[in-house]
Coordinates of all heavy atoms in Angstrom, one line a residue:
M1092 N 0.8 -1.2 0.0 CA 0.0 0.0 0.0 C 0.9 1.2 0.0 O 1.7 1.4 0.9 CB -0.9 -0.1 1.3 CG -2.0 1.0 1.2 SD -3.0 0.8 2.7 CE -4.0 -0.7 2.3
P1093 N 0.7 2.2 -0.9 CA 1.6 3.3 -1.0 C 1.4 4.4 0.0 O 2.4 5.1 0.3 CB 1.3 3.9 -2.4 CG -0.1 3.4 -2.7 CD -0.3 2.1 -2.0
F1094 N 0.2 4.5 0.6 CA 0.1 5.5 1.6 C -1.1 5.0 2.5 O -1.8 4.1 2.2 CB -0.2 6.8 1.1 CG -1.5 6.9 0.2 CD1 -2.7 7.2 0.8 CD2 -1.4 6.7 -1.1 CE1 -3.8 7.3 -0.1 CE2 -2.5 6.6 -2.0 CZ -3.7 7.0 -1.4
I1095 N -1.2 5.6 3.7 CA -2.3 5.3 4.6 C -3.5 6.1 4.3 O -3.6 7.3 4.2 CB -1.8 5.8 6.1 CG1 -0.6 5.1 6.5 CG2 -3.0 5.5 7.1 CD1 0.1 5.7 7.7
A1096 N -4.5 5.3 3.8 CA -5.7 6.0 3.3 C -6.8 6.1 4.4 O -6.7 5.3 5.3 CB -6.3 5.2 2.1
R1097 N -7.7 6.9 4.3 CA -8.8 7.1 5.2 C -9.6 5.9 5.2 O -10.0 5.4 4.1 CB -9.7 8.3 4.9 CG -9.0 9.6 5.1 CD -10.0 10.7 4.7 NE -9.3 12.0 4.5 CZ -9.8 13.1 4.9 NH1 -11.0 13.1 5.4 NH2 -9.1 14.2 4.7
E1098 N -10.0 5.5 6.4 CA -11.1 4.4 6.5 C -10.7 3.1 5.9 O -11.5 2.3 5.4 CB -12.4 4.8 5.9 CG -13.0 6.2 6.5 CD -13.4 6.1 7.9 OE1 -13.5 4.9 8.4 OE2 -13.5 7.1 8.6
E1099 N -9.4 2.9 5.7 CA -8.9 1.6 5.2 C -7.9 1.0 6.1 O -7.1 1.7 6.6 CB -8.3 1.9 3.8 CG -9.3 2.0 2.7 CD -8.7 2.3 1.3 OE1 -7.5 1.9 1.2 OE2 -9.4 2.8 0.4
P1100 N -7.9 -0.2 6.2 CA -6.9 -1.0 7.1 C -5.5 -0.8 6.4 O -5.4 -0.6 5.3 CB -7.3 -2.3 7.1 CG -8.2 -2.5 5.9 CD -8.8 -1.2 5.6
F1101 N -4.5 -0.8 7.2 CA -3.1 -0.7 6.7 C -2.2 -1.4 7.6 O -2.6 -1.8 8.8 CB -2.6 0.8 6.6 CG -2.5 1.5 7.9 CD1 -1.4 1.6 8.6 CD2 -3.7 2.3 8.4 CE1 -1.3 2.3 9.8 CE2 -3.6 2.9 9.6 CZ -2.5 3.0 10.4
V1102 N -1.0 -1.8 7.1 CA -0.1 -2.5 7.9 C 1.0 -1.4 8.3 O 1.6 -0.8 7.4 CB 0.5 -3.6 7.2 CG1 1.7 -4.3 7.9 CG2 -0.5 -4.7 6.8
C1103 N 1.3 -1.3 9.6 CA 2.2 -0.4 10.1 C 3.6 -0.7 9.6 O 4.1 -1.9 9.6 CB 2.2 -0.5 11.6 SG 3.6 0.6 12.4
E1104 N 4.4 0.3 9.0 CA 5.6 0.0 8.5 C 6.8 0.0 9.5 O 7.9 -0.5 9.3 CB 6.0 1.2 7.6 CG 5.2 1.1 6.2 CD 5.5 2.1 5.2 OE1 6.6 2.7 5.3 OE2 4.6 2.4 4.5
N1105 N 6.4 0.3 10.8 CA 7.4 0.2 11.8 C 7.2 -1.1 12.6 O 8.3 -1.7 12.8 CB 7.2 1.4 12.8 CG 8.3 1.4 13.9 OD1 9.4 1.4 13.7 ND2 7.8 1.2 15.2
C1106 N 6.1 -1.6 12.9 CA 6.0 -2.7 13.7 C 5.2 -3.8 13.1 O 4.9 -4.9 13.7 CB 5.4 -2.4 15.2 SG 3.6 -1.9 15.1
Q1107 N 4.7 -3.6 11.9 CA 4.0 -4.6 11.1 C 2.6 -5.0 11.7 O 2.1 -6.0 11.4 CB 4.8 -5.9 10.8 CG 5.8 -5.7 9.6 CD 6.9 -4.8 9.9 OE1 7.6 -4.9 10.9 NE2 7.1 -3.8 9.0
T1108 N 2.1 -4.3 12.5 CA 0.7 -4.4 13.1 C -0.3 -4.2 12.0 O -0.2 -3.2 11.3 CB 0.4 -3.6 14.3 OG1 1.3 -3.9 15.4 CG2 -1.0 -3.7 14.8
F1109 N -1.3 -5.1 11.9 CA -2.4 -4.8 11.0 C -3.3 -3.9 11.7 O -3.9 -4.3 12.7 CB -3.1 -6.2 10.6 CG -4.2 -6.0 9.6 CD1 -4.0 -5.7 8.3 CD2 -5.5 -6.0 10.1 CE1 -5.0 -5.6 7.4 CE2 -6.6 -5.9 9.2 CZ -6.3 -5.6 7.8
V1110 N -3.6 -2.8 11.1 CA -4.4 -1.7 11.9 C -5.8 -1.6 11.2 O -5.9 -1.3 9.9 CB -3.7 -0.4 11.8 CG1 -4.5 0.7 12.5 CG2 -2.3 -0.5 12.4
E1111 N -6.8 -1.8 11.9 CA -8.2 -1.6 11.5 C -8.6 -0.2 11.5 O -8.1 0.6 12.3 CB -9.2 -2.4 12.4 CG -8.9 -3.9 12.5 CD -9.5 -4.7 11.4 OE1 -10.1 -4.1 10.5 OE2 -9.4 -5.9 11.5
P1112 N -9.5 0.2 10.5 CA -10.0 1.6 10.6 C -10.8 1.8 11.8 O -11.4 1.0 12.3 CB -10.7 1.8 9.2 CG -11.1 0.3 8.9 CD -10.0 -0.6 9.5
L1113 N -10.8 3.1 12.2 CA -11.7 3.6 13.4 C -13.2 3.6 13.1 O -14.0 3.3 13.8 CB -11.2 4.9 13.9 CG -10.0 4.9 14.9 CD1 -9.7 6.4 15.2 CD2 -10.5 4.2 16.2
G1114 N -13.5 4.1 11.8 CA -14.9 4.3 11.4 C -15.5 5.6 12.1 O -14.8 6.4 12.8
K1115 N -16.8 5.6 12.0 CA -17.6 6.7 12.6 C -17.1 8.1 12.3 O -17.1 9.0 13.1 CB -17.6 6.5 14.2 CG -18.2 5.2 14.6 CD -18.5 5.3 16.2 CE -18.9 3.9 16.7 NZ -17.9 2.9 16.8
G1116 N -16.7 8.3 11.1 CA -16.2 9.6 10.7 C -14.8 10.0 11.0 O -14.3 11.0 10.6
S1117 N -14.3 9.4 12.0 CA -12.8 9.7 12.3 C -11.9 8.7 11.6 O -12.3 7.6 11.3 CB -12.6 9.7 13.8 OG -12.9 8.4 14.3
Y1118 N -10.8 9.2 11.3 CA -9.8 8.3 10.6 C -8.5 8.3 11.5 O -8.2 9.3 12.1 CB -9.5 8.8 9.1 CG -8.7 10.0 9.1 CD1 -7.3 10.0 8.7 CD2 -9.3 11.3 9.2 CE1 -6.7 11.0 8.6 CE2 -8.6 12.4 9.2 CZ -7.2 12.3 8.8 OH -6.4 13.5 8.7
R1119 N -7.7 7.3 11.3 CA -6.4 7.3 12.0 C -5.3 7.4 11.1 O -5.3 7.0 9.9 CB -6.4 6.0 12.9 CG -6.2 4.8 12.2 CD -5.7 3.7 13.3 NE -6.7 2.9 13.7 CZ -7.1 2.7 15.0 NH1 -6.3 3.3 15.9 NH2 -8.0 1.8 15.4
N1120 N -4.3 8.1 11.5 CA -3.1 8.3 10.7 C -1.9 7.8 11.3 O -0.7 8.1 11.0 CB -3.0 9.8 10.3 CG -2.9 10.7 11.6 OD1 -2.7 10.2 12.7 ND2 -2.9 11.9 11.4
H1121 N -2.1 7.0 12.4 CA -0.9 6.4 13.0 C -1.2 5.1 13.6 O -2.4 4.8 13.9 CB -0.3 7.3 14.1 CG -1.3 7.8 15.1 ND1 -2.1 8.9 15.1 CD2 -1.7 7.2 16.3 CE1 -2.9 9.0 16.0 NE2 -2.7 7.9 16.9
C1122 N -0.2 4.3 13.9 CA -0.4 3.0 14.5 C -0.7 2.9 15.9 O 0.0 3.6 16.7 CB 0.9 2.2 14.2 SG 1.0 0.6 15.0
P1123 N -1.8 2.3 16.4 CA -2.2 2.4 17.8 C -1.2 1.6 18.7 O -1.2 1.8 19.9 CB -3.6 1.8 17.8 CG -3.7 0.9 16.6 CD -2.8 1.6 15.6
A1124 N -0.4 0.7 18.1 CA 0.5 -0.2 18.9 C 1.8 0.6 19.2 O 2.2 0.6 20.3 CB 0.7 -1.5 18.3
C1125 N 2.5 1.1 18.1 CA 3.8 1.7 18.3 C 3.6 3.2 18.1 O 4.7 4.0 18.4 CB 4.7 1.2 17.4 SG 4.5 1.6 15.7
L1126 N 2.5 3.7 17.7 CA 2.2 5.2 17.5 C 3.0 5.8 16.4 O 3.0 7.1 16.2 CB 2.4 6.0 18.8 CG 1.6 5.4 20.1 CD1 1.9 6.3 21.3 CD2 0.1 5.5 19.8
F1127 N 3.7 5.1 15.6 CA 4.4 5.7 14.5 C 3.4 6.1 13.4 O 2.3 5.5 13.3 CB 5.3 4.7 13.8 CG 6.8 4.7 14.4 CD1 7.0 4.3 15.7 CD2 7.8 5.1 13.6 CE1 8.3 4.5 16.2 CE2 9.1 5.3 14.1 CZ 9.4 4.9 15.5
S1128 N 3.7 7.1 12.7 CA 2.8 7.7 11.6 C 3.6 7.7 10.3 O 4.7 7.2 10.3 CB 2.3 9.0 12.1 OG 1.3 9.5 11.2
K1129 N 3.0 8.3 9.4 CA 3.7 8.4 8.1 C 3.5 9.7 7.6 O 2.3 10.3 7.7 CB 3.1 7.4 7.1 CG 4.1 7.0 6.0 CD 3.6 5.8 5.1 CE 4.5 5.8 4.0 NZ 4.2 4.7 3.1
H1130 N 4.5 10.3 7.0 CA 4.3 11.7 6.5 C 3.6 11.8 5.2 O 4.2 11.7 4.2 CB 5.8 12.4 6.4 CG 5.8 13.8 6.2 ND1 6.8 14.6 5.9 CD2 4.7 14.6 6.2 CE1 6.5 15.8 5.8 NE2 5.2 15.9 6.0
V1131 N 2.3 11.9 5.3 CA 1.5 12.0 4.0 C 0.8 13.4 3.9 O 0.3 13.7 2.9 CB 0.4 10.9 4.0 CG1 1.1 9.4 3.8 CG2 -0.4 10.8 5.2
D1132 N 0.7 14.1 5.0 CA 0.1 15.4 5.0 C 1.0 16.5 4.9 O 2.0 16.5 5.6 CB -0.8 15.5 6.3 CG -1.9 14.5 6.3 OD1 -2.4 14.1 5.3 OD2 -2.4 14.3 7.5
A1133 N 0.8 17.5 4.0 CA 1.7 18.5 3.9 C 1.5 19.7 4.8 O 2.2 20.1 5.7 CB 1.7 19.1 2.5
E1134 N 0.2 20.2 4.8 CA -0.1 21.4 5.5 C -1.1 21.2 6.7 O -1.1 21.9 7.7 CB -0.7 22.6 4.7 CG 0.4 23.0 3.6 CD 1.7 23.4 4.3 OE1 1.7 24.0 5.4 OE2 2.8 23.2 3.6
G1135 N -2.0 20.3 6.5 CA -3.0 20.0 7.5 C -3.4 18.5 7.6 O -3.1 17.8 6.7
P1136 N -4.0 18.1 8.7 CA -4.3 16.8 8.8 C -5.3 16.3 7.7 O -6.3 16.9 7.5 CB -5.0 16.6 10.2 CG -4.9 18.0 10.8 CD -4.4 19.0 9.8
G1137 N -5.0 15.2 7.1 CA -5.9 14.7 6.0 C -5.7 15.3 4.6 O -6.4 14.8 3.7
D1138 N -4.8 16.2 4.4 CA -4.7 16.7 3.0 C -4.0 15.8 2.1 O -4.2 15.9 0.9 CB -4.2 18.2 3.0 CG -2.7 18.3 3.4 OD1 -2.0 17.2 3.4 OD2 -2.2 19.4 3.6
R1139 N -3.2 14.9 2.6 CA -2.5 13.9 1.8 C -1.7 14.4 0.7 O -1.4 13.8 -0.3 CB -3.5 12.9 1.2 CG -4.6 12.3 2.1 CD -4.0 11.2 3.0 NE -4.4 11.4 4.4 CZ -4.3 10.6 5.3 NH1 -3.8 9.4 5.1 NH2 -4.6 10.8 6.6
A1140 N -1.2 15.7 0.9 CA -0.5 16.3 -0.2 C 1.1 16.2 -0.1 O 1.8 16.6 -1.0 CB -0.8 17.8 -0.1
S1141 N 1.6 15.6 1.0 CA 3.0 15.4 1.1 C 3.6 14.4 0.1 O 3.1 13.4 -0.1 CB 3.4 15.0 2.5 OG 4.8 14.8 2.6
V1142 N 4.8 14.8 -0.4 CA 5.4 13.8 -1.3 C 6.6 13.2 -0.5 O 7.3 12.3 -1.0 CB 6.1 14.5 -2.5 CG1 5.0 15.0 -3.4 CG2 7.1 15.6 -2.1
C1143 N 6.7 13.4 0.8 CA 7.8 12.9 1.7 C 7.6 11.4 1.8 O 8.5 10.6 1.6 CB 7.8 13.7 2.9 SG 9.2 13.0 4.1
K1144 N 6.5 11.0 2.5 CA 6.2 9.6 2.9 C 7.2 9.0 3.8 O 7.3 7.8 3.9 CB 6.1 8.7 1.6 CG 5.2 9.2 0.4 CD 3.7 9.1 0.8 CE 2.9 9.4 -0.4 NZ 2.9 10.8 -0.9
G1145 N 7.9 9.8 4.5 CA 8.7 9.2 5.6 C 8.0 8.6 6.8 O 6.9 9.0 7.0
L1146 N 8.6 7.9 7.5 CA 8.0 7.4 8.8 C 8.1 8.5 9.8 O 9.1 9.2 9.9 CB 8.8 6.2 9.3 CG 8.3 4.8 9.0 CD1 9.1 3.8 9.7 CD2 6.8 4.6 9.4
M1147 N 7.0 8.6 10.6 CA 7.1 9.7 11.6 C 7.0 9.1 13.0 O 6.2 8.2 13.3 CB 5.8 10.6 11.4 CG 5.9 11.3 10.0 SD 4.8 12.7 9.9 CE 5.6 13.9 10.9
K1148 N 8.0 9.5 13.7 CA 8.2 8.9 15.1 C 7.5 9.7 16.1 O 7.6 11.1 16.1 CB 9.8 9.0 15.4 CG 10.2 8.4 16.6 CD 11.8 8.6 16.5 CE 12.3 8.4 17.9 NZ 13.8 8.3 17.9
P1149 N 6.8 9.1 17.1 CA 6.1 9.9 18.1 C 7.2 10.3 19.1 O 8.0 9.5 19.7 CB 5.2 8.8 18.8 CG 5.9 7.4 18.5 CD 6.7 7.7 17.1
V1150 N 7.3 11.6 19.4 CA 8.4 12.1 20.3 C 7.8 12.6 21.6 O 8.6 12.7 22.6 CB 9.2 13.2 19.6 CG1 10.1 12.6 18.5 CG2 8.4 14.4 19.1
S1151 N 6.6 13.1 21.6 CA 6.0 13.6 22.9 C 4.5 13.6 22.8 O 3.9 13.5 21.8 CB 6.6 14.9 23.2 OG 6.2 15.9 22.2
L1152 N 4.0 13.8 24.0 CA 2.5 14.0 24.1 C 2.3 15.4 24.6 O 3.0 16.0 25.3 CB 1.9 13.1 25.2 CG 1.6 11.7 24.8 CD1 1.1 10.9 26.0 CD2 0.6 11.6 23.7
D1153 N 1.2 16.0 24.2 CA 0.9 17.4 24.5 C -0.6 17.5 24.8 O -1.4 16.9 24.0 CB 1.2 18.3 23.3 CG 1.2 19.7 23.5 OD1 1.4 20.1 24.7 OD2 1.2 20.5 22.6
F1154 N -1.0 18.1 25.8 CA -2.4 18.2 26.2 C -3.0 19.5 25.8 O -2.5 20.6 26.2 CB -2.6 17.9 27.7 CG -4.1 17.9 27.9 CD1 -4.8 16.7 27.7 CD2 -4.8 18.9 28.5 CE1 -6.2 16.6 27.9 CE2 -6.2 18.9 28.7 CZ -6.9 17.7 28.4
R1155 N -3.9 19.5 24.9 CA -4.5 20.8 24.4 C -6.0 20.7 25.1 O -6.7 19.9 24.8 CB -4.7 20.8 22.9 CG -3.4 20.5 22.2 CD -2.6 21.7 21.8 NE -1.2 21.3 21.4 CZ -0.9 21.4 20.1 NH1 -1.7 21.7 19.2 NH2 0.4 21.1 19.7
S1156 N -6.3 21.9 25.6 CA -7.6 22.0 26.3 C -8.8 21.8 25.4 O -9.9 21.2 25.7 CB -7.8 23.3 27.1 OG -7.6 24.4 26.2
N1157 N -8.6 22.2 24.0 CA -9.8 22.1 23.2 C -9.8 20.7 22.4 O -10.7 20.3 21.8 CB -9.8 23.3 22.2 CG -8.5 23.4 21.4 OD1 -7.4 22.9 21.9 ND2 -8.5 24.0 20.3
K1158 N -8.6 20.1 22.3 CA -8.5 18.9 21.5 C -8.2 17.6 22.3 O -8.2 16.6 21.7 CB -7.4 19.0 20.4 CG -7.9 20.0 19.3 CD -6.8 20.1 18.3 CE -7.2 21.0 17.1 NZ -6.1 21.4 16.3
G1159 N -7.7 17.8 23.4 CA -7.3 16.6 24.3 C -5.9 16.3 24.0 O -5.1 17.1 23.6
W1160 N -5.5 14.9 24.2 CA -4.1 14.6 24.0 C -3.7 14.6 22.6 O -4.4 14.0 21.7 CB -3.9 13.3 24.7 CG -3.9 13.3 26.1 CD1 -4.9 12.9 27.0 CD2 -2.8 13.8 27.0 NE1 -4.5 13.1 28.3 CE2 -3.2 13.6 28.3 CE3 -1.5 14.3 26.7 CZ2 -2.4 14.0 29.3 CZ3 -0.7 14.7 27.8 CH2 -1.2 14.5 29.1
M1161 N -2.6 15.1 22.3 CA -2.0 15.1 20.9 C -0.7 14.4 21.0 O 0.1 14.6 21.9 CB -1.8 16.6 20.4 CG -3.0 17.6 20.5 SD -4.3 17.2 19.3 CE -3.4 17.8 17.8
I1162 N -0.4 13.7 19.9 CA 0.9 13.1 19.8 C 1.7 13.9 18.9 O 1.2 14.2 17.8 CB 0.8 11.6 19.2 CG1 -0.1 10.7 20.1 CG2 2.2 11.1 18.9 CD1 -0.4 9.4 19.4
I1163 N 2.9 14.3 19.3 CA 3.7 15.1 18.4 C 4.6 14.1 17.7 O 5.4 13.4 18.2 CB 4.6 16.1 19.2 CG1 3.8 16.8 20.2 CG2 5.4 17.0 18.3 CD1 2.7 17.6 19.7
H1164 N 4.5 14.1 16.3 CA 5.3 13.3 15.4 C 6.4 14.0 14.7 O 6.1 15.2 14.3 CB 4.4 12.6 14.3 CG 3.5 11.5 14.8 ND1 2.1 11.6 14.9 CD2 3.8 10.2 15.2 CE1 1.6 10.4 15.4 NE2 2.7 9.7 15.6
V1165 N 7.6 13.5 14.6 CA 8.6 14.1 13.9 C 9.0 13.1 12.7 O 9.3 11.9 12.9 CB 9.8 14.4 14.7 CG1 10.9 15.0 13.9 CG2 9.5 15.4 15.8
C1166 N 9.1 13.7 11.5 CA 9.4 12.9 10.4 C 10.9 12.5 10.3 O 11.7 13.2 10.6 CB 9.1 13.7 9.1 SG 9.5 12.7 7.6
N1167 N 11.1 11.2 10.2 CA 12.5 10.6 10.0 C 13.3 11.1 8.8 O 14.5 11.1 8.8 CB 12.4 9.1 10.0 CG 12.3 8.5 11.3 OD1 12.5 9.0 12.3 ND2 12.0 7.2 11.3
V1168 N 12.5 11.7 7.8 CA 13.2 12.0 6.6 C 13.5 13.5 6.6 O 14.6 14.0 6.4 CB 12.3 11.5 5.4 CG1 13.0 12.0 4.1 CG2 12.2 10.1 5.4
C1169 N 12.4 14.3 6.8 CA 12.5 15.8 6.6 C 12.4 16.4 7.9 O 12.6 17.7 8.0 CB 11.5 16.3 5.6 SG 9.7 16.2 6.4
F1170 N 12.2 15.8 9.1 CA 12.1 16.4 10.4 C 11.1 17.4 10.6 O 11.0 18.1 11.5 CB 13.6 16.9 10.8 CG 14.6 16.0 10.7 CD1 15.5 16.1 9.6 CD2 14.7 15.0 11.6 CE1 16.5 15.1 9.4 CE2 15.8 14.0 11.4 CZ 16.6 14.1 10.4
K1171 N 10.0 17.3 9.8 CA 8.8 18.2 10.0 C 8.1 17.6 11.3 O 8.0 16.4 11.5 CB 7.9 18.0 8.9 CG 6.7 19.1 8.9 CD 5.8 18.9 7.6 CE 4.5 19.7 7.7 NZ 4.7 21.2 7.6
K1172 N 7.6 18.5 12.1 CA 6.8 18.1 13.3 C 5.3 18.3 13.1 O 4.9 19.4 12.6 CB 7.2 19.2 14.4 CG 8.2 18.5 15.4 CD 8.2 19.4 16.6 CE 9.4 19.0 17.5 NZ 9.5 19.8 18.7
I1173 N 4.5 17.2 13.3 CA 3.0 17.4 13.1 C 2.4 16.9 14.4 O 2.6 15.7 14.7 CB 2.6 16.7 11.8 CG1 3.3 17.2 10.7 CG2 1.1 16.8 11.7 CD1 2.9 16.5 9.3
P1174 N 1.5 17.7 15.0 CA 0.7 17.2 16.1 C -0.5 16.3 15.6 O -1.1 16.7 14.5 CB 0.2 18.4 16.8 CG 0.3 19.5 15.9 CD 1.3 19.1 14.7
N1175 N -0.8 15.2 16.2 CA -1.9 14.4 15.7 C -2.8 14.1 17.0 O -2.3 13.8 18.0 CB -1.4 13.1 15.2 CG -1.0 13.3 13.7 OD1 -1.8 13.6 12.8 ND2 0.3 13.1 13.5
K1176 N -4.1 14.1 16.7 CA -5.0 13.7 17.8 C -4.8 12.2 18.1 O -4.6 11.3 17.2 CB -6.5 13.9 17.3 CG -7.1 15.2 17.8 CD -8.3 15.4 17.0 CE -9.5 14.7 17.7 NZ -10.9 15.1 17.1
T1177 N -4.9 11.9 19.3 CA -4.9 10.5 19.7 C -6.2 9.7 19.4 O -7.3 10.4 19.4 CB -4.6 10.3 21.2 OG1 -5.5 11.0 21.9 CG2 -3.2 10.7 21.6
A1178 N -6.2 8.4 19.2 CA -7.3 7.7 19.0 C -7.7 6.9 20.3 O -6.8 6.7 21.1 CB -7.2 6.6 17.9
P1179 N -8.9 6.6 20.5 CA -9.3 5.8 21.8 C -8.5 4.6 22.2 O -8.3 4.3 23.3 CB -10.8 5.5 21.5 CG -11.2 6.3 20.5 CD -10.0 6.6 19.6
D1180 N -8.0 4.0 21.2 CA -7.3 2.7 21.5 C -5.7 2.9 21.3 O -5.0 1.9 21.3 CB -7.8 1.6 20.6 CG -7.6 1.9 19.1 OD1 -7.3 3.0 18.7 OD2 -7.8 1.0 18.3
D1181 N -5.2 4.1 21.2 CA -3.8 4.3 21.2 C -3.1 3.8 22.4 O -3.6 4.1 23.5 CB -3.5 5.8 21.0 CG -3.6 6.2 19.6 OD1 -3.8 5.4 18.7 OD2 -3.6 7.5 19.3
N1182 N -2.0 3.3 22.3 CA -1.1 2.8 23.4 C -0.3 3.9 23.9 O 0.9 3.9 24.0 CB -0.3 1.6 23.0 CG 0.4 1.0 24.1 OD1 0.1 1.1 25.2 ND2 1.4 0.2 23.7
I1183 N -1.0 5.0 24.4 CA -0.1 6.1 24.9 C 0.7 6.0 26.2 O 1.4 6.7 26.5 CB -1.0 7.5 25.0 CG1 -2.2 7.3 26.0 CG2 -1.5 7.9 23.7 CD1 -2.9 8.7 26.3
V1184 N 0.2 4.9 26.9 CA 1.1 4.5 28.1 C 2.4 4.3 27.8 O 3.3 4.4 28.7 CB 0.4 3.4 28.9 CG1 -0.9 3.7 29.5 CG2 0.3 2.1 28.1
K1185 N 2.8 4.0 26.6 CA 4.2 3.7 26.1 C 5.0 4.9 26.6 O 6.3 4.8 26.8 CB 4.3 3.6 24.6 CG 4.1 2.2 24.2 CD 4.7 2.0 22.8 CE 5.2 0.6 22.7 NZ 5.9 0.3 21.5
F1186 N 4.5 6.1 26.6 CA 5.3 7.3 26.8 C 5.7 7.4 28.3 O 6.6 8.1 28.7 CB 4.5 8.6 26.4 CG 4.6 8.8 25.0 CD1 3.6 8.5 24.1 CD2 5.8 9.5 24.5 CE1 3.8 8.7 22.7 CE2 6.0 9.7 23.1 CZ 4.9 9.3 22.3
S1187 N 4.9 6.7 29.2 CA 5.3 6.8 30.6 C 6.1 5.5 31.0 O 6.5 5.5 32.2 CB 4.0 6.8 31.5 OG 3.1 5.8 31.1
D1188 N 6.5 4.7 30.0 CA 7.2 3.5 30.3 C 8.7 3.7 29.9 O 9.0 3.9 28.8 CB 6.7 2.3 29.4 CG 7.5 1.0 29.6 OD1 8.4 1.0 30.5 OD2 7.1 0.0 29.0
P1189 N 9.5 3.9 30.9 CA 11.0 4.2 30.6 C 11.7 3.1 29.8 O 12.8 3.4 29.3 CB 11.6 4.4 32.0 CG 10.7 3.7 32.9 CD 9.3 3.7 32.4
S1190 N 11.2 1.9 29.8 CA 11.8 0.9 29.1 C 11.6 0.8 27.6 O 12.2 0.0 26.9 CB 11.5 -0.5 29.7 OG 10.1 -0.8 29.5
S1191 N 10.5 1.6 27.2 CA 10.3 1.6 25.8 C 11.3 2.4 25.0 O 11.8 3.4 25.4 CB 8.9 2.2 25.5 OG 8.8 3.5 25.7
V1192 N 11.7 1.8 23.9 CA 12.8 2.5 23.2 C 12.4 3.1 22.0 O 11.7 2.5 21.1 CB 13.8 1.3 22.7 CG1 15.1 1.9 21.9 CG2 14.4 0.6 24.0
Y1193 N 12.7 4.4 21.8 CA 12.3 5.1 20.6 C 13.6 5.7 20.0 O 14.3 6.5 20.6 CB 11.4 6.3 20.8 CG 9.9 5.8 21.0 CD1 9.2 5.8 22.1 CD2 9.3 5.1 19.9 CE1 8.0 5.2 22.3 CE2 8.0 4.7 19.9 CZ 7.4 4.7 21.1 OH 6.1 4.2 21.2
Ligands
LIG36 ZN1 3.2 0.2 14.6
LIG37 ZN1 8.8 14.1 5.9

């Protein structure tokens, strides 16, 4: 699969988890198991305009009062930083586990 499409299952390029779509109008752009994402958006979430396609590594969590928890992703290729909304089944406890390696 060349890119992560909305509402379609995909296989994570970092941990090879098979990821099911969320449905109900929301889409996911990162893996719920390892939280890696892919650089497919250029200017905003969902625009799919990026030509980079680099793997994006989760580097931190940020709490926004209007949006809730955001995962800050940094692209492995071009180092662009993009905040992403967390999904209900994201494994965000990974960030509080000092033994997890990123
Ligand atoms: Zn993964
Ligand atoms: Zn990139």
